[in-house]
Amino acid sequence: MTATTVLTARALLLDMDGTLVNSDAVVERCWRRWAERHGLDGGEVMKVVHGRQGYASMAVLLPNRPMEQNYADNARMLAEETADMDGVVAIPGAAEFLASLEGVPHALVTSADVGLSTARMAAAGLGLPDVRVTAESVGASKPDPEGFLKGAAELGVAPEDCVVFEDSGAGISAGRGAGMRVVGVGPRAGFHRPDVVVRDLTQVRVEVVGGGTIRLHVA
């Protein structure tokens, strides 16, 4: 299909992993090692972990384990992931897309913490948006909409005037739960019924039309 969808918005809320940064190689390495330590099937674990904070994934995968253990294990996982940048690269079109947002209200809304998000964006050669909602900023992980609602509030824009960019089922559910429209990025996104899906960010063009309105031309 060559048709273009046009979405209007006043602010954009951007996930990181799978949306701006391809960190799949690291995520696979770390979580498959974790699965092996806990006697779980690595393939099944990988179906759960994308988009969520680590402790929330662990709670799904080990439902009888006390949350205190999940929080402690998550801290170890974050340290392991932050130390491993091998294979972390930008999603095609991410640098140009971010450059096109100069003067456009936008925020990073990620399940990574400050250390991991800073390291991965730097490894991918991408600048960090001025407004960032990270793991430390919220009390609930995606698919809870808290992060996206907080991002909208920090930008001073109503949720219905925001468009979310996401790759994971948990993230897409969070965006929808916040009352926002969602652009799905990459192959995972298409399974979770976002409003529109793109292969990567080369298929998105941002147009500022005045009066605080943004037009997204999505191929």
Side-chain angles (χ1 to χ4, degrees):
M1 289 181 62
T2 56
T4 297
T5 299
V6 179
L7 301 175
T8 59
R10 300 182 73 83
L12 307 181
L13 301 176
L14 316 174
D15 175 51
M16 182 182 71
D17 292 300
T19 301
L20 297 172
V21 172
N22 182 346
S23 57
D24 282 1
V26 180
V27 173
E28 287 267 349
R29 282 195 294 273
C30 292
W31 278 100
R32 286 185 181 275
R33 283 196 297 265
W34 182 90
E36 187 174 355
R37 290 197 295 269
H38 293 280
L40 300 175
D41 179 82
E44 293 303 310
V45 167
M46 295 312 303
K47 293 177 183 177
V48 172
V49 300
H50 291 291
R52 291 179 170 87
Q53 290 191 45
Y55 76 84
S57 297
M58 294 168 187
V60 172
L61 294 161
L62 297 173
N64 297 319
R65 189 166 79 158
M67 281 304 297
E68 291 78 9
Q69 291 186 32
N70 293 334
Y71 289 128
D73 211 357
N74 182 50
R76 289 188 290 270
M77 177 69 77
L78 284 169
E80 188 178 343
E81 289 186 280
T82 304
D84 185 356
M85 291 296 129
D86 188 20
V88 174
V89 296
I91 295 291
E96 295 81 2
F97 175 69
L98 287 172
S100 75
L101 300 185
E102 180 70 31
V104 172
H106 66 286
L108 187 73
V109 181
T110 176
S111 291
D113 66 359
V114 169
L116 182 57
S117 58
T118 301
R120 282 188 176 162
M121 290 289 280
L126 301 175
L128 282 162
D130 290 337
V131 178
R132 301 184 288 278
V133 179
T134 60
E136 299 93 337
S137 309
V138 297
S141 169
K142 300 171 185 178
D144 191 283
E146 180 186 356
F148 287 123
L149 291 171
K150 184 162 189 175
E154 291 198 18
L155 294 171
V157 177
E160 62 269 23
D161 291 327
C162 296
V163 169
V164 165
F165 283 74
E166 263 286 1
D167 73 300
S168 70
I172 291 167
S173 293
R176 286 197 177 284
M180 301 171 182
R181 290 152 295 155
V182 181
V183 176
V185 180
R188 279 190 294 269
F191 295 104
H192 304 286
R193 298 191 297 278
D195 293 276
V196 62
V197 182
V198 295
R199 178 186 64 251
D200 56 44
L201 294 171
T202 65
Q203 295 186 304
V204 181
R205 181 170 65 85
V206 179
E207 179 190 8
V208 180
V209 294
T213 299
I214 309 156
R215 281 199 194 112
L216 294 172
H217 300 263
V218 184

